[in-house]
Amino acid sequence: MKIYYVYILLCSDETYYTGITSNLNKRLFEHNSGENADSYTYHRRPIELVYYCEFTEVGFAIDTEKQIKKWSKAKKEALINSEYDKLPNLAKKKFK
């Protein structure tokens, strides 16, 4: 059974990068080595893996990656810090 990983990287400029791969170690090496000069992480190295989760269905992994990419930095940090109780409130729009 193939495993797919959705991961979040902390970049040197304190931004987050979210991606998907079927080979996490290889993909981290590619990010850190600067294999692709056009990638988001190229000028933001070094990077640090701060979160990942595993999926056996690629469709679920893709959907999760797309969802996380839309999240605010605060919501990503709650996920990274296992503060799951904060996630619903961070999803709500603030009205003034």
Side-chain angles (χ1 to χ4, degrees):
M1 174 178 357
K2 192 162 189 166
I3 302 292
Y4 301 92
Y5 302 90
V6 173
Y7 61 93
I8 301 176
L9 305 176
L10 176 61
C11 300
S12 63
D13 64 355
E14 301 296 315
T15 61
Y16 291 108
Y17 173 84
T18 304
I20 183 174
T21 186
S22 61
N23 187 332
L24 189 56
N25 289 329
K26 179 182 176 195
R27 191 68 185 111
L28 292 174
F29 176 80
E30 291 169 351
H31 280 294
N32 267 320
S33 68
E35 190 165 296
N36 183 354
D38 295 328
S39 73
Y40 179 84
T41 58
Y42 184 82
H43 293 290
R44 293 170 172 88
R45 293 175 290 149
I47 54 94
E48 175 187 352
L49 177 67
V50 291
Y51 176 84
Y52 74 92
C53 55
E54 300 177 358
F55 296 85
T56 56
E57 296 287 333
V58 69
F60 291 141
I62 291 168
D63 291 346
T64 300
E65 178 204 22
K66 286 179 181 179
Q67 181 181 30
I68 292 171
K69 282 186 173 194
K70 294 177 187 176
W71 287 1
S72 67
K73 184 173 186 175
K75 190 166 182 177
K76 289 175 187 174
E77 288 174 344
L79 177 66
I80 291 163
N81 295 322
S82 301
E83 298 171 328
Y84 306 116
D85 56 316
K86 291 183 178 181
L87 294 176
N89 288 333
L90 292 169
K92 295 178 183 173
K93 292 184 178 181
K94 308 280 189 235
F95 294 99
K96 293 182 180 182

